[in-house]
Amino acid sequence: MIIVMRPHAAAAEIDAVEALIAKLKLSAHVSRGAERTIVGVIGAPPDKETLLAQFAGLDGVESVVPISRSYKLVSREARGGERSIVRVNDRVSFGGSQIAVAAGPCSVESREQLELTATSVARSGANILRGGAFKPRTSPYAFQGLGEEGLRYMREAADRSDLAVVTEVLDPRDVALVERYADILQIGARNMQNFTLLREVGGVRKPVLLKRGLAATIEEWLMAAEYIVAAGNHDVVLCERGIRSFDPATRNVLDLAAVPVVQGLTHLPVIVDPSHGTGVRALVAPMSLAAVAAGADGLIIEVHPNPAAAFSDGPQSLTLPNFEELMGRLRTVASAIGRSMPQSQTAPV
Ligand code: PEP
Ligand code: MN
């Protein structure tokens, strides 16, 4: 069972809920968000109906939700069936009628690369700049990223083009550093069940983009999101990025059915990464269009000014003109399903 407090409920009201839980010899898990506190009640109460009424009668309580699923705070029931909107800033949010679009290189390579990419993708209508400064590479000998220097290039390029920044944090010790530069902290597929890292970003007051693990079930993915929310950060956006299967024709199998499945199970927004999902440049546009048609709340797409020279993931990166063309096609699909794409800050030249 979870108890959802009204926004900005008084400390005394939350204390009263905790006191009642203690009196009933149950245990409480309190998740304090920026606006709202949610109290999870753990234990098997003897008479559920009476108990629900007791909590519902307390001051400051908005709703009491009996939840038998393993994930609770992220379940759709926890928000009374409403979908959450995760706000990044005045221009960028996930889960509303506008589709969010993050675009940029796999790895941050240089200041020039970032400037060129940011200016171009912003003109095409992206509203978030992506790029990795800490790279989770399969080989320890492959390029590992520019670290803080890369974060600085991201921030500067994004600010000049009025874009938000999403970038991956690999290590719990780097969370504070990445938080200083990024607007959204990305947890990569390989870290989806790094529980220490999940708890750490649960303490941050910025949205987290949680990628689905390479071989994670939807339930495991939602449980990972539950870790972050339970640690106090309610602003989690899920990202389907393909799962591993037996067929090498694509790098991963992009599970687009996961979009409506997840939307039925959780109130959190869900976006799609067609770049890692397919690993093939020619498949990025069709899968982006399909993702939006399937109801995704956003896209994260690898774009590089010269994919042939990219330090990582060149074969799946769109060129700047490829991305411009795709954005035009996405506008048609979005409007066909009653959604919109971000407006370009500067008119296309
Ligand atoms: C990335 O987006 O840069 C990335 C490494 O993705 P994933 O964690 O999905 O492999
Ligand atoms: Mn990549």
Side-chain angles (χ1 to χ4, degrees):
M1 177 170 90
I2 62 168
I3 298 164
V4 182
M5 302 300 296
R6 295 212 171 91
H8 309 294
E13 293 171 336
I14 300 167
D15 290 347
V17 168
E18 287 191 79
L20 180 55
I21 294 170
K23 193 172 142 212
L24 295 164
K25 307 230 176 322
L26 301 168
S27 45
H29 186 288
V30 184
S31 165
R32 291 174 207 276
E35 282 190 9
R36 202 190 280 277
T37 296
I38 296 177
V39 185
V41 183
I42 301 138
D47 176 1
K48 232 176 189 163
E49 288 308 309
T50 320
L51 197 73
L52 290 180
Q54 264 180 295
F55 282 109
L58 293 178
D59 289 339
V61 172
E62 184 173 278
S63 59
V64 182
V65 194
I67 298 175
S68 50
R69 295 185 199 282
S70 41
Y71 48 88
K72 301 182 189 302
L73 304 175
V74 305
S75 69
R76 252 198 107 135
E77 296 92 324
R79 284 276 189 280
E82 298 277 300
R83 309 251 342 264
S84 286
I85 295 183
V86 171
R87 277 178 221 290
V88 179
N89 58 33
D90 291 348
R91 248 170 58 73
V92 184
S93 58
F94 295 87
S97 62
Q98 191 178 82
I99 312 276
V101 182
C106 178
S107 301
V108 178
E109 299 167 8
S110 69
R111 177 177 271 136
E112 296 66 35
Q113 171 222 29
L114 259 278
E115 283 299 333
L116 200 57
T117 308
T119 316
S120 176
V121 298
R123 207 191 301 128
S124 303
N127 54 3
I128 306 166
L129 181 65
R130 66 142 289 148
F134 297 96
K135 293 306 301 174
R137 307 305 299 284
T138 302
S139 164
Y141 309 116
F143 176 63
Q144 303 288 311
L146 294 181
E148 185 168 3
E149 188 189 353
L151 294 174
R152 206 165 31 243
Y153 297 160
M154 287 276 286
R155 186 73 265 165
E156 287 169 6
D159 284 347
R160 259 194 278 281
S161 293
D162 201 12
L163 298 168
V165 167
V166 61
T167 194
E168 179 166 354
V169 57
L170 282 183
D171 189 320
R173 292 167 297 188
D174 290 331
V175 168
L177 171 72
V178 175
E179 191 187 353
R180 276 209 294 283
Y181 291 94
D183 300 296
I184 306 160
L185 282 76
Q186 178 173 323
I187 301 295
R190 289 156 195 79
N191 270 318
M192 188 204 81
Q193 286 186 315
N194 180 339
F195 300 116
T196 316
L197 184 59
L198 298 180
R199 278 204 198 89
E200 198 66 32
V201 295
V204 165
R205 288 278 182 255
K206 284 186 174 173
V208 173
L209 181 65
L210 177 65
K211 289 196 145 195
R212 182 177 181 179
L214 302 169
T217 63
I218 286 175
E219 173 144 339
E220 286 163 343
W221 187 18
L222 294 177
M223 290 303 288
E226 184 86 9
Y227 262 88
I228 303 172
V229 176
N233 189 345
H234 297 188
D235 290 332
V236 177
V237 177
L238 299 165
C239 178
E240 163 60 40
R241 49 79 70 204
I243 46 176
R244 190 161 284 195
S245 189
F246 54 86
D247 190 342
T250 52
R251 181 174 175 183
N252 291 293
V253 172
L254 185 63
D255 182 7
L256 284 185
V259 172
V261 169
V262 157
Q263 286 172 340
L265 296 173
T266 175
H267 56 85
L268 299 175
V270 57
I271 73 164
V272 169
D273 174 347
S275 308
H276 295 90
T278 63
V280 182
R281 180 177 309 119
L283 303 181
V284 171
M287 290 300 98
S288 300
L289 297 165
V292 170
D297 297 304
L299 293 166
I300 179 164
I301 300 176
E302 286 185 342
V303 178
H304 196 286
N306 180 9
F311 290 7
S312 58
D313 287 349
Q316 69 192 34
S317 299
L318 297 187
T319 62
L320 302 173
N322 289 157
F323 179 72
E324 164 82 32
E325 193 207 337
L326 171 60
M327 288 297 279
R329 297 172 69 195
L330 283 167
R331 267 181 213 107
T332 312
V333 174
S335 76
I337 58 161
R339 297 187 85 170
S340 62
M341 298 292 290
Q343 287 306 308
S344 167
Q345 287 300 85
T346 37
V349 284

